[in-house]
Amino acid sequence: MNTIAYLLLRLAIGASMFGHGLVRFPKLSSFSSWMVTGFEKSILPQALVVSFSYALPFIEFGVGFLLIIGLFTEVALISGTAVMILLIFGSSLIESWEAIPSQLIHVMIFVWLLQFKGGNGISADQLFFRK
């Protein structure tokens, strides 16, 4: 994959994840309440939903930040995919079918970047680890 194309796609998905986390920090409590309310009729225990809702913005922010700078890119891509799989599962449990296409698009981009990680030539990984 062309290094410029890889960079642009990595930056785009990184900005999406970074932004998702960043905007939730100032309203962490209300975001958690919203998520708990959405899952109150699901099979998931409330404690699990609360824990996940507080962790999610930090994970999104961290994955996004790492992808933007291109540091530990492979780990960030796998982590981002794992988060999306959890979100898809959660969306399915509450029948939030409209959320799933966006989540699947994120998964496709993460997997695409993972498949073509050889194109990650403009990154902190390349600078520090010559990966």
Side-chain angles (χ1 to χ4, degrees):
M1 181 177 221
N2 175 300
T3 57
I4 298 295
Y6 191 96
L7 172 66
L8 293 173
L9 192 55
R10 195 190 77 222
L11 289 174
I13 197 71
S16 175
M17 294 298 286
F18 185 83
H20 271 85
L22 186 64
V23 300
R24 291 176 176 156
F25 287 153
K27 56 182 180 180
L28 202 50
S29 179
S30 62
F31 172 71
S32 177
S33 295
W34 169 81
M35 189 174 266
V36 168
T37 300
F39 280 87
E40 62 190 4
K41 293 182 181 172
S42 77
I43 62 170
L44 297 176
Q46 183 177 356
L48 182 62
V49 176
V50 169
S51 300
F52 186 78
S53 70
Y54 277 99
L56 181 60
F58 293 94
I59 296 167
E60 290 171 326
F61 181 86
V63 166
F65 178 76
L66 290 174
L67 290 174
I68 288 169
I69 64 172
L71 184 62
F72 305 119
T73 305
E74 186 172 352
V75 171
L77 292 169
I78 293 168
S79 299
T81 302
V83 166
M84 287 299 142
I85 291 168
L86 292 173
L87 290 173
I88 291 166
F89 179 68
S91 294
S92 296
L93 290 179
I94 60 171
E95 299 182 81
S96 181
W97 310 120
E98 67 282 353
I100 295 175
S102 172
Q103 295 160 345
L104 285 170
I105 290 168
H106 278 74
V107 169
M108 287 188 293
I109 293 170
F110 287 137
V111 171
W112 184 270
L113 289 170
L114 195 55
Q115 176 67 31
F116 295 102
K117 65 184 178 182
N120 195 25
I122 304 170
S123 65
D125 286 334
Q126 185 64 28
L127 182 66
F128 296 127
F129 308 117
R130 300 283 182 223
K131 283 185 138 185

